[in-house]
């Protein structure tokens, strides 16, 4: 049965930009499961599947409704143990939580400092007011003030990416010899900026840039099918 | 057969302080293997097992000699698959490399900024000159200049630990429901400071501090058997 996948979208439906939704798109493709994308804008998220979650991704698989990208990956792993693993065992599932924590607290912060205004500008007009109010309250400054720090945030990025770069000098994927959910967690953050700001954050000569290009190629170019912002 | 474990020691043989050697001590105990500790000071490391490595830990298991804490853990996992796993599967082994990269590049840097002068002072007199020359060349400043930044490094530590804190709010160990090698990687860094500077970096009320105390209790209190610096 086709899985229904609810994902966030801004003004341009060809560029769904949510890092968390990309984790789920890649997870579904990794398991080789057919899925149908249903796009929703920020302010309509509370109506998805009867209001099951304040955020997307949300999937519906028959009678099962699951929210949260990590919970969805764990659900897919449990219901399809015969398909390629997303975690590579129990230890991998536990350690993917550390990689998620690093991505959410360190990498997403860096991405936000670089691309917050671009993300705002990519939203549907109805969503922009909500986004501005909620983000300015969270960050304690205006979007314009955040944007003033962009050059400095870009300058700090190579150091921020050092744990990732060191890992990818040793092995082709965070998951080892082949990609796992941990790769999709980090991919989501860079894809988010690619689709909103369009700037190439890392050169392909850098192990991180090379890995990101290989992520874009995975699953018949699923990630690359959404064009970078111009 | 008893495994020979070569570990670094300073002036006080009761406080072997190397973070990398602690990873190996905990790995051997985790596998329940008998081992004999052989202590070596910095300047004698090149003589260990015929000069097999520039660094310790080094173990000898019968005719096998293995250097590097991660390679040793991988060797123990491969040779003792029947004993408790150090990685929890292939995915866990790959992702432990990311946790190692984060620890080496981010956490060890923070520890060094906090405890470098204490580490120097804990060394045998013969090692202090080597340590000062090599570290000052690497860091481009004197040990005294590094020490001037100590208060600032301590202030920055809670933010540095955020990915770890976020993980440990969700699950008792980095390895999930029980400790894995990934826990010992991070434990080594905090144990290093406990044995050289003695300062309690995190309160036990903090998930990181609580986890560190539980690490010290593991394997019949192996980590706690070395007394904190006073």
């Amino acid at each position: 049965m086709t899985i229904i996948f609810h994902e966030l979208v801004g003004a341009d439906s060809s560029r769904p930009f949510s890092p968390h939704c990309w984790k789920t798109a890649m997870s579904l493709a990794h398991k080789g499961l057919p899925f149908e994308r249903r796009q929703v804008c920020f302010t309509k998220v509370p109506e998805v599947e009867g209001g099951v979650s304040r955020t997307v991704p949300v999937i519906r698989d028959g009678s099962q409704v699951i929210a949260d990208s990590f919970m969805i990956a764990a659900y897919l792993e449990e219901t399809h143990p015969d398909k390629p693993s997303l975690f590579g065992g129990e230890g991998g599932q536990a350690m993917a939580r550390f990689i998620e924590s690093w991505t959410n607290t360190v990498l997403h912060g860096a991405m936000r400092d670089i691309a917050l205004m671009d993300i705002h500008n990519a939203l549907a007009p109805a969503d922009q007011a909500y986004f501005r109010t909620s983000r300015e309250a969270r960050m304690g400054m205006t979007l314009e003030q955040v944007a003033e720090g962009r050059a400095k945030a870009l300058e700090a990025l190579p150091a921020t990416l050092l744990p990732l770069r060191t890992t990818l000098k040793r092995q082709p994927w965070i998951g080892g010899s082949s990609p796992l959910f941990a790769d999709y967690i980090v991919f989501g953050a860079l894809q988010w900026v690619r689709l909103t700001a369009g700037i190439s954050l890392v050169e392909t000569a850098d192990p991180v840039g090379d890995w990101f290009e290989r992520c874009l190629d995975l699953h018949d170019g699923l990630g690359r099918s959404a064009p970078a912002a111009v």
Side-chain angles (χ1 to χ4, degrees), chain A:
Chain A
M1 193 188 305
T2 297
I3 292 174
I4 305 298
F5 164 41
H6 300 277
E7 69 175 342
L8 194 66
V9 73
D12 179 353
S13 65
S14 73
R15 293 187 177 94
F17 58 82
S18 157
H20 306 290
C21 291
W22 275 104
K23 294 184 232 171
T24 295
M26 298 294 270
S27 298
L28 289 162
H30 184 99
K31 285 286 186 188
L33 301 169
F35 62 96
E36 182 190 320
R37 301 170 86 144
R38 298 247 178 112
Q39 298 192 323
V40 57
C41 65
F42 256 118
T43 40
K44 297 290 184 191
V45 168
E47 296 170 21
V48 165
E49 295 290 350
V52 69
S53 171
R54 284 174 40 246
T55 58
V56 282
V58 167
I59 68 165
R60 178 155 50 84
D61 183 18
S63 62
Q64 297 288 312
V65 175
I66 302 106
D68 179 88
S69 61
F70 205 110
M71 295 302 288
I72 291 169
Y75 168 82
L76 297 176
E77 188 78 347
E78 194 182 337
T79 50
H80 298 279
D82 51 317
K83 302 281 174 63
S85 175
L86 281 162
F87 296 113
E90 282 184 22
Q93 184 157 345
M95 283 175 237
R97 282 296 193 183
F98 180 87
I99 292 165
E100 178 189 57
S101 297
W102 176 77
T103 302
N104 286 351
T105 60
V106 177
L107 197 53
H108 281 195
M111 298 296 121
R112 218 171 278 129
D113 291 347
I114 291 167
L116 196 69
M117 187 56 86
D118 300 292
I119 298 165
H120 169 269
N121 294 344
L123 295 177
D127 283 346
Q128 290 188 350
Y130 159 79
F131 185 84
R132 178 179 284 275
T133 308
S134 61
R135 268 50 180 183
E136 291 187 346
R138 191 190 293 171
M139 306 188 72
M141 55 178 102
T142 67
L143 299 186
E144 288 72 14
Q145 285 171 321
V146 175
E148 283 170 21
R150 184 185 193 178
K152 204 173 158 191
L154 271 170
E155 200 185 327
L157 190 64
T160 303
L161 293 173
L162 191 54
L164 183 61
R165 183 175 300 110
T166 306
T167 306
L168 294 170
K169 276 183 185 169
R170 179 181 296 280
Q171 58 199 32
W173 305 95
I174 303 171
S177 57
S178 61
L180 293 176
F181 185 63
D183 290 273
Y184 306 145
I185 291 171
V186 181
F187 167 75
L190 294 183
Q191 175 79 325
W192 181 27
V193 171
R194 175 179 171 269
L195 295 176
T196 52
I199 46 171
S200 180
L201 291 178
V202 271
E203 300 301 319
T204 51
D206 183 294
V208 177
D210 173 73
W211 162 86
F212 183 59
E213 292 294 321
R214 287 184 282 114
C215 285
L216 288 170
D217 289 335
L218 287 171
H219 314 310
D220 301 320
L222 177 62
R224 209 182 287 284
S225 68
V230 285

